[in-house]
């Protein structure tokens, strides 16, 4: 089971990694076969499902997205934790945003869902 300390550390490192645009550091939080779902995926990759599987596919998506948004910056608002999941609520370039992360027993993300206000 996750606890508040793990959730706070994950949130801090995840936000710092994104704000420094350090993609290898971001990807270090995930399993090799993790799945990412986002309503932005279709517009950037052309994949209408909105879901990508595996680090190579998600890394290509995030590389392209970072290239399109060189000033990307997130401000963490709050962190919520559950039994095996964490939700980060933050302010980003799309306004209020939330990402839900599901973890394995090793503390790595196996599945993530992004949600945006716009």
């Amino acid at each position: 089971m996750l606890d508040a300390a793990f959730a706070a550390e994950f949130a801090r490192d995840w936000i710092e990694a994104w704000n420094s645009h350090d993609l290898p550091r971001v990807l270090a939080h995930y399993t090799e076969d993790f799945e990412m779902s986002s309503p932005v995926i279709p517009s950037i990759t052309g994949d209408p499902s909105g879901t990508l599987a595996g680090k190579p596919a998600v890394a290509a998506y995030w590389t392209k997205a970072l290239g399109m948004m060189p000033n990307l910056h997130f401000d963490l608002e709050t962190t919520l934790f559950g039994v095996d999941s964490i939700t980060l609520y933050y302010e980003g370039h799309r306004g209020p945003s939330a990402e839900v992360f599901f973890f394995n027993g090793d503390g790595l993300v196996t599945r993530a869902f992004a949600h945006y206000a716009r």
Side-chain angles (χ1 to χ4, degrees):
M1 185 179 302
L2 303 179
D3 61 21
F6 177 88
E9 177 60 23
F10 173 83
R12 183 198 58 75
D13 195 65
W14 189 87
I15 292 286
E16 286 179 6
W18 274 110
N19 286 345
S20 65
H21 295 200
D22 185 344
L23 195 52
R25 183 174 168 192
V26 171
L27 288 166
H29 295 102
Y30 301 86
T31 62
E32 290 298 319
D33 61 347
F34 85 98
E35 291 186 6
M36 175 70 199
S37 295
S38 168
V40 179
I41 287 173
S43 65
I44 293 181
T45 69
D47 183 336
S49 73
T51 299
L52 298 172
K55 275 189 182 180
V58 178
Y61 159 63
W62 283 340
T63 297
K64 188 172 182 180
L66 281 171
M68 297 168 68
M69 297 170 274
N71 296 323
L72 181 78
H73 182 84
F74 300 148
D75 291 308
L76 183 64
E77 298 291 330
T78 195
T79 303
L80 308 170
F81 70 95
V83 173
D84 64 353
S85 62
I86 293 173
T87 299
L88 300 184
Y89 181 69
Y90 60 91
E91 188 72 26
H93 69 285
R94 287 187 168 77
S97 305
E99 294 207 29
V100 181
F101 306 89
F102 291 90
F103 292 80
N104 67 11
D106 295 324
L108 294 174
V109 177
T110 60
R111 186 111 170 88
F113 296 87
H115 303 80
Y116 307 107
R118 54 186 154 121

